[in-house]
Amino acid sequence: MDRNISLELVRVTEAAAMAAARLMGRGDKNKADGAAVRAMRIALGSISMDGTVVIGEGEKDEAPMLYIGEKIGNGEPPKVDIAVDPIDGTRLLSLGLPNAIAVVALAEAGSLYTSPGIFYMNKIAVGPSAKGAIDLDKPVEWNLKSIAEAKRLPLEELTVVVLDRPRHEQLMREIREAGARIKLITDGDIAGALMTVLEDTGVDVLMGIGGSPEAVVTACALKCIGGEMQCRPYPRHEEDRRKALSMGADLNKLYTIDDLVASDQVFVSITGITNGELVDGVKYSERHIETHSLVMRSKSGTVRDIRARHSLDKLMAYSEVEYLAPSQK
């Protein structure tokens, strides 16, 4: 793991973003996701590694590509776990809305948490300046006051990012009663959590219930950048609870970043598909495609901001990925 694989992963997320961005605003989530998945799979397959997808598009029978358990790479060391989200925010992309991103995280084999039978978690996440100031077991108001004190801000200036879901009505009431502001997002809680660690986004904390696979990917990024996250499994209904318990899930356990990614050798790449607070979206010109990515490595704590210009002619000549719109072929 001495090799900085993050610099190879950026080609993976760039490929997924460029393949999916042509379908922005067309209202077809499945087609966009399929394009991103195919591009990501081809690019991952070119990396020298012995990889296993532990967080992917689903089980083998439901997801013919990038399914959980799929082997990726040429089989040579290092042996790694891979978490993929070809499009975090498929609905955002299909509607032409901000903050759709392509994400890949990679860590030493056996280090990424896989939630048995639980697909959602209650989460709280903050950036480095509020590390040590959160406790998921404490009331919302306590956490907001603690974060405000750590960040040396008036509580009224805190901004909390929350997924816009009916299940969060009580949470939103408590946030507003405490005096903080809310930034609602319709989808994409990986991007939402990462907004808390980047200074120029204006977001201070993420709260609420979101996907457990997304929690693991977020933990990988936070391990690289800094910050803190706490999560607890959230069964949506009794059937979820029974299934999770039968598979050995501990529904009372409070998970930290180290529980979700038990390695200090972590690599993450994020590429924007549509414009957002984290990264700019894919841009097209007559002969080029431009991408904007963030590439991270936990060992060094380095975050690289990469803007790339890709030649359409050469991409189409050498790549298996379809980057052109139908009218351009």
Side-chain angles (χ1 to χ4, degrees), residues 71-93:
K71 294 292 186 179
I72 289 288
N74 62 3
E76 296 181 0
K79 194 174 181 65
V80 297
D81 285 349
I82 303 168
V84 301
D85 199 338
I87 305 176
D88 179 44
T90 50
R91 195 172 75 91
L92 299 176
L93 176 61

Side-chain angles (χ1 to χ4, degrees), residues 100 103 119 133-134 182 190 285 316:
V103 188
F119 302 104
I134 60 173
I182 294 174
I190 295 176
S285 62
M316 295 309 299

Side-chain angles (χ1 to χ4, degrees), residues 1 3 5 8-9 11-13 36-58 63-86 103-107 109:
M1 297 292 284
R3 185 169 107 242
I5 302 178
E8 300 170 63
L9 292 181
R11 294 189 298 104
V12 175
T13 53
V37 168
R38 181 175 182 274
M40 187 170 275
R41 186 174 190 265
I42 290 170
L44 278 171
S46 70
I47 297 177
S48 180
M49 63 181 176
D50 181 2
T52 302
V53 176
V54 297
I55 294 174
E57 291 292 283
M65 296 186 294
L66 290 176
Y67 57 85
I68 296 169
E70 181 175 358
K71 294 292 186 179
I72 289 288
N74 62 3
E76 296 181 0
K79 194 174 181 65
V80 297
D81 285 349
I82 303 168
V84 301
D85 199 338
V103 188
V104 170
L106 182 151

Side-chain angles (χ1 to χ4, degrees), residues 13 46 77 92 138 142 154 188 201 209 273 326:
T13 53
S46 70
L92 299 176
K138 295 284 180 67
W142 182 94
T201 65
I209 297 157
I273 306 175

Side-chain angles (χ1 to χ4, degrees), residues 214-235:
E214 288 83 354
V216 177
V217 176
T218 300
C220 289
L222 291 179
K223 179 155 275 194
C224 295
I225 304 175
E228 184 178 6
M229 181 169 66
Q230 296 178 4
C231 309
R232 179 170 282 117
Y234 177 83

